[in-house]
Amino acid sequence: MEIVNDVRDNLLAQIAASDTPRDVLKSANLKKLYSQITTLPAAERGAYGKTINELKLELEAAINLREQVLDDATVEPLDVTAPWDKNASVADLLPTEFGSQHPLTTELDNIIDIFTRMGFEAIESRQVDDDQHMFATLNFHENHPARDGYDTFRTEEGFIPPAHTSTMQNRILKAGKAKLEAGGQIAAISYGRVYRNEDVDATHEHTFYQCEGVFVSKGANLGQMLGTLRSFFETYYGQKLKIKTQPGYFPFVEPGLEFAIEKPAALGGKPGEWLEMLGCGMIHPNVLKAAGIDPEVYRGFAWGGGVERLVMLKYGIEDLRHFESGKLAFLRKFL
Ligand code: DAH
């Protein structure tokens, strides 16, 4: 009996570790146990035979279970981004039923909600663009020194993955021209991914998100712009905020401003700690002209800035690189 028990433990361990568990039934040790029957006195054969039969059933059950486990492992979720042969041995991927929305998507939805409630139309920006929209229609002439500040990627054919969402301004203005002429106004935001050829660190990424706003009417002015921005930031952070502006240079606005908020105490800020949130200003007459809008009749204001920065302040995130990292430890904090 002791020998039977030893063989049982040994074979069960082999089954649990094997990729071909059924082979264990052919083991020499098992065969030896069978052949033992003939050597036993007739009186003991019945009991021994029964024990061996039970052992065989137990091994069968263990083999079936192991085969089931191996089967399940081969239908684990596919990593569609992996090299073609990678899914053959899928490791511990996150099954899709446990997936969740990326925090940037959630926050962009929030931002879009706030602006659409204020009457702005929301338009996603393009991810492939050209010099015309990246620079020319935004009042950067061909050799404008401010072009260098945008660290723009460019293909040999002249395509540009946009370095800012301002690429959408000319399209928004052209599409809204008829509305203006019918006595209405243009109010739109555009949001999306932008790209810069930059060295990556805790506050710089080659890939990030921006959100841009454009408003044009007969009487648009800076007071309306500051009211709109204050209202947006106070809604987004759910509290009253101190705001300030200082002069800033962007070829597509005149005057151009940088807009800052005082870091709220509730988010770890000290009085007098200002955070620059975006660039803004009155739309330059040349930008209106490039869209066929008469700057003598209409005025506009625009603003634009990074989305990650807003989200980092809201949640106390210390490193911009988390967003594009795909690290589950980071993403799970937003479940
Ligand atoms: N496009 C600018 C940037 O990425 C930000 C910006 C500044 C957008 C002023 C605007 C604006 O619409 O008026 O640096």
Side-chain angles (χ1 to χ4, degrees):
M1 274 312 154
E2 231 168 73
I3 296 174
V4 175
N5 280 339
D6 280 354
V7 172
R8 171 196 285 115
D9 291 348
N10 182 281
L11 295 182
L12 286 175
Q14 280 184 40
I15 289 168
S18 170
D19 282 345
T20 52
R22 201 155 290 277
D23 288 353
V24 170
L25 292 180
K26 296 181 210 145
S27 103
N29 281 343
L30 194 57
K31 286 191 180 140
K32 219 191 263 167
L33 288 183
Y34 293 144
S35 59
Q36 214 77 52
I37 292 191
T38 52
T39 68
L40 289 173
E44 289 172 24
R45 281 186 196 171
Y48 183 79
K50 200 167 160 243
T51 307
I52 297 296
N53 259 337
E54 279 167 8
L55 171 61
K56 212 178 152 208
L57 289 176
E58 199 179 338
L59 294 177
E60 285 279 359
I63 288 166
N64 288 340
L65 203 72
R66 175 70 185 152
E67 283 177 341
Q68 187 63 48
V69 169
L70 292 169
D71 247 23
D72 286 351
T74 60
V75 293
E76 269 199 23
L78 294 181
D79 174 4
V80 293
T81 64
W84 66 275
D85 59 343
K86 203 62 191 257
N87 288 306
S89 55
V90 174
D92 51 348
L93 290 174
L94 193 67
T96 49
E97 64 265 35
F98 298 134
S100 62
Q101 197 161 260
H102 192 281
L104 278 179
T105 309
T106 309
E107 293 305 315
L108 258 176
D109 283 349
N110 263 337
I111 292 167
I112 292 167
D113 262 10
I114 298 171
F115 280 118
T116 47
R117 274 185 266 135
M118 289 166 83
F120 286 83
E121 187 185 351
I123 300 157
E124 190 169 3
S125 64
R126 290 194 175 197
Q127 299 204 29
V128 179
D129 223 309
D130 53 22
D131 190 89
Q132 194 67 12
H133 293 89
M134 178 65 215
F135 294 120
T137 57
L138 290 168
N139 196 37
F140 295 80
H141 59 71
E142 211 168 307
N143 299 310
H144 201 299
R147 284 182 173 229
D148 290 345
Y150 286 85
D151 303 309
T152 311
F153 290 111
R154 198 182 280 270
T155 71
E156 283 164 10
E157 296 82 2
F159 292 118
I160 291 177
H164 57 178
T165 44
S166 306
T167 45
M168 298 303 287
Q169 282 202 19
N170 183 252
R171 297 185 176 96
I172 290 171
L173 294 173
K174 273 189 182 154
K177 192 181 170 210
K179 244 197 209 167
L180 278 183
E181 287 167 357
Q185 56 201 25
I186 298 174
I189 59 162
S190 77
Y191 59 91
R193 250 181 169 184
V194 293
Y195 307 89
R196 291 194 191 183
N197 189 1
E198 276 195 305
D199 287 341
V200 170
D201 63 26
T203 55
H204 295 89
E205 253 289 10
H206 49 71
T207 303
F208 57 105
Y209 284 76
Q210 279 193 340
C211 181
E212 179 100 7
V214 176
F215 183 89
V216 184
S217 71
K218 280 195 169 153
N221 60 59
L222 278 182
Q224 292 173 345
M225 182 186 79
L226 295 178
T228 305
L229 291 175
R230 172 194 286 284
S231 186
F232 165 73
F233 280 102
E234 290 188 345
T235 310
Y236 185 72
Y237 289 114
Q239 64 187 99
K240 290 270 170 225
L241 294 169
K242 280 193 184 159
I243 63 170
K244 76 170 181 184
T245 58
Q246 60 188 33
Y249 176 72
F250 306 94
F252 36 98
V253 278
E254 179 57 40
L257 303 169
E258 281 166 359
F259 179 94
I261 64 171
E262 194 183 45
K263 187 172 176 181
L267 299 173
K270 295 181 194 73
E273 194 178 346
W274 293 94
L275 301 172
E276 195 201 312
M277 301 310 280
L278 48 80
C280 55
M282 294 304 292
I283 298 177
H284 195 286
N286 288 348
V287 174
L288 293 174
K289 272 192 225 160
I293 293 173
D294 184 353
E296 301 291 331
V297 182
Y298 302 102
R299 286 157 198 280
F301 54 82
W303 71 87
V307 173
E308 284 85 347
R309 189 182 306 196
L310 304 194
V311 181
M312 286 168 83
L313 174 59
K314 188 171 182 178
Y315 295 106
I317 298 165
E318 79 301 349
D319 194 320
L320 176 59
R321 289 167 291 193
H322 288 311
F323 290 105
E324 294 290 327
S325 72
K327 284 200 183 118
L328 294 179
F330 174 70
L331 298 175
R332 284 199 177 109
K333 292 193 193 299
F334 299 89
L335 284 181

